[in-house]
Every structure is written in C-alpha cells, then in structure tokens.
Amino acid sequence: MKRIIQAREVDESQVDEWVAEAEAGYDVDQLRARWGRTPRGTAPAQVIPVRLTTDELAAVMARAEREGLNRSEAIRAAIDEWTHVA
C-alpha cells in the first residue's frame, strides 16, 4: 500500500520512525506552543465578525496597501487610533 503525504510517497522506514517517536511520547507543552497564531496579549483574542460595505472594505484595503499592512492589521490600527482619541 502506497502512503502519499503532500504528493510525496512515504516509505515504511519513515512510518516506523514516526511510530517510534509517537510511542516515546511528545512534550505537550512544546506542541501547544506551536499551535495557532501568536498571542496578541495575555489572554486569547476574540474573533468579532463585522459587516462592511464594499466601499468601506475598499477604503480599508487601499489604506492597508499604502501602509504595507494586511487587512487585520489595518483594522486593528484603526481601532487603536480611535480608542486612544476617546
């Protein structure tokens, strides 16, 4: 039986190596540290769905591109600026 992972064939010796590694056990804390995105604070961040019109999103994306930011970074920067004014 062929084993294919990411379009590459995995031979029996590699499978045996992975089995031995798993049977020896993993450091769960080390594995957890690799999961998910890098934390932004001391607690997990919340995902907040927001509805934007086509024009609003286009404006966000235009400014993000000018400033070399991705969409999330641009929205966080806008929120940060707005909350510091209040």
Side-chain angles (χ1 to χ4, degrees):
M1 172 179 162
K2 283 188 174 183
R3 291 180 176 93
I4 308 292
I5 297 177
Q6 295 180 346
R8 298 176 75 176
E9 187 173 350
V10 177
D11 63 16
E12 197 64 33
S13 65
Q14 178 63 65
V15 173
D16 291 340
E17 188 178 317
W18 288 334
V19 168
E21 181 182 334
E23 287 175 343
Y26 293 105
D27 181 349
V28 176
D29 291 331
Q30 181 186 18
L31 291 174
R32 277 198 187 112
R34 297 185 339 195
W35 291 343
R37 293 183 171 99
T38 305
R40 297 191 60 246
T42 58
Q46 295 181 9
V47 176
I48 309 296
V50 176
R51 293 179 188 267
L52 300 176
T53 66
T54 303
D55 291 340
E56 290 167 335
L57 183 55
V60 167
M61 295 309 296
R63 178 142 181 199
E65 187 169 328
R66 284 194 308 272
E67 296 186 16
L69 303 173
N70 65 39
R71 179 171 48 194
S72 294
E73 292 167 336
I75 291 170
R76 285 192 294 267
I79 291 169
D80 188 52
E81 190 174 314
W82 182 74
T83 57
H84 282 90
V85 172

